[in-house]
Each structure stands twice: as C-alpha cells, then as structure tokens.
C-alpha cells in the first residue's frame, strides 16, 4: 500500500475540453488505454459532462453544496456523500446548487470491468477496497497496526488484500473487478 497525495494525481483535460480532472488511479496501459479510472474533478460551472460511449460512471460530491444532473432529461440530485450511477452514453448536464463542487468519479468500461464506490465514515469500520480517497483528514490502520494519514483528496493505493480500520475521518472506498 502507498499514500498518494493530491498533488501527485495526474492532471488531465476532460474529454470535452471543458475542465480538468485529477486521475487518482487507473489500469491505464502504455498505449494510454484504460478499463477503469478513478478521478477527482472540480466542477466550477453549469454545463455538459463528456459523453463516454461504453463507459459506466459513478460519482460522489466530496466538496461543495452539490449539483443536479440532467441525465437524458431525467433529473438526478447529487448532494454531498451520495453515490450516483449513470451511463457515459447519456447526455448529462450539470447544474450547480450553490457554487462549485468537487466530485470523485469512477469510470468502468462496460462488459470488461465493474466497480462500486462506498462512503466510509463509521469509526472502527473495517474496509476492504482497491483504492481509498479521503474526503477530509482521515486515518486508517492496517492489520499490522501501521497507520496511514490522509489529507483531503489524498489516496491510499494498492489496498486490495489488506484490511483497514477507519480510526477517524471520512473516505470513499472504491472497488473494481474484471469480468
């Protein structure tokens, strides 16, 4: 396991060019192709999400007052802490509730990988995941008593196969599974 600070995440333009995301983790290969990707994205203005055919998307607002998504015309509320799932094939337009937000997103290529995100906030919870992303100052302890201190938007990578207990804070546990 290793801690990756927010400043170490890879900055990348959105597919539609209207913003920047910060890739936390992916299985990106040497040809720049991925089947799963976890990224942090500031959303500073109302507007369209990138259309990503064949990709399943999940997001959770980790900072700010939330946003409303119009997904193929259906309105979906995205308050902080709620995981929202939708198809990357959909025409998705964001409307900010009260100023900019930051979301954590998981993208998986349909038919190749599946994934989930869970908010972890109960002290003592034992967490098994692939990637953990802190929403605030957070401390985890592994099965050997080693502690991992994360600041907001920091991540704990290569977590698979380890059991971690939440000592304090709030984080998102991300799981990915090849089909």
């Amino acid at each position: 396991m290793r801690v990756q600070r927010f400043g170490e995440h890879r900055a990348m333009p959105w597919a539609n060019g209207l913003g920047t995301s910060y890739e936390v983790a992916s299985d990106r290969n040497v040809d720049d192709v991925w089947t799963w990707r976890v990224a942090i994205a500031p959303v500073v203005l109302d507007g369209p999400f990138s259309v990503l055919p064949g990709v399943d998307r999940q997001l959770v607002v980790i900072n700010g007052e939330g946003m409303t998504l119009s997904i193929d015309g259906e309105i979906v509320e995205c308050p902080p802490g709620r995981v929202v799932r939708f198809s990357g094939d959909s025409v998705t337009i964001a409307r900010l509730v009260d100023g900019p937000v930051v979301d954590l997103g998981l993208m998986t290529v349909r038919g190749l990988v599946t994934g989930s995100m869970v908010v972890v906030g109960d002290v003592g919870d034992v967490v098994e995941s692939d990637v953990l992303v802190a929403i605030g100052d957070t401390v985890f302890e592994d099965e050997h008593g080693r502690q991992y201190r994360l600041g907001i938007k920091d991540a704990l990578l290569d977590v698979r196969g380890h059991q971690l207990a939440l000592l304090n804070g709030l984080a998102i546990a991300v799981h990915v599974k090849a089909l």
Side-chain angles (χ1 to χ4, degrees):
M1 286 185 292
R2 71 179 178 88
V3 172
Q4 180 171 288
R5 302 294 176 200
F6 177 71
E8 298 173 277
H9 302 333
R10 181 179 175 187
M12 304 182 76
W14 292 352
N16 66 12
L18 298 177
T20 300
S21 65
Y22 299 88
E23 186 172 274
V24 174
S26 74
D27 68 344
R28 186 178 301 278
N29 64 23
V30 295
D31 296 321
D32 214 27
V33 176
W34 52 265
T35 62
W36 65 268
R37 180 175 187 262
V38 177
I40 294 170
V43 182
V44 298
L45 297 170
D46 295 347
F49 273 37
S50 301
V51 175
L52 301 170
V55 173
D56 290 323
R57 299 182 71 167
Q58 298 176 47
L59 69 77
V60 60
V61 172
I62 61 172
N63 186 267
E65 297 300 315
M67 63 183 160
T68 300
L69 297 180
S70 170
I71 303 170
D72 289 335
E74 179 183 341
I75 302 301
V76 177
E77 300 296 326
C78 303
R82 178 187 294 163
V83 177
V84 175
R85 294 167 178 80
F86 58 102
S87 172
D89 300 282
S90 298
V91 173
T92 304
I93 300 170
R95 184 180 60 75
L96 302 171
V97 171
D98 186 18
V101 300
V102 176
D103 71 56
L104 177 70
L106 170 62
M107 293 179 265
T108 55
V109 174
R110 193 173 307 120
L112 297 178
V113 177
T114 187
S116 65
M117 296 195 311
V118 177
V119 178
V120 179
D122 292 331
V123 171
D125 273 356
V126 175
V127 181
E128 293 187 40
S129 71
D130 296 298
V131 176
L132 289 161
V133 179
I135 297 175
D137 291 331
T138 303
V139 180
F140 285 99
E141 184 174 88
D142 70 14
E143 63 271 23
H144 307 291
R146 182 171 176 194
Q147 292 187 359
Y148 299 86
R149 296 181 184 282
L150 306 174
I152 187 168
K153 299 185 248 178
D154 290 347
L156 189 56
L157 305 179
D158 305 319
V159 178
R160 182 175 289 190
H162 296 274
Q163 291 186 346
L164 295 157
L166 179 65
L167 298 185
N168 74 300
L170 193 61
I172 307 294
V174 180
H175 301 267
V176 292
K177 179 182 175 187
L179 298 174

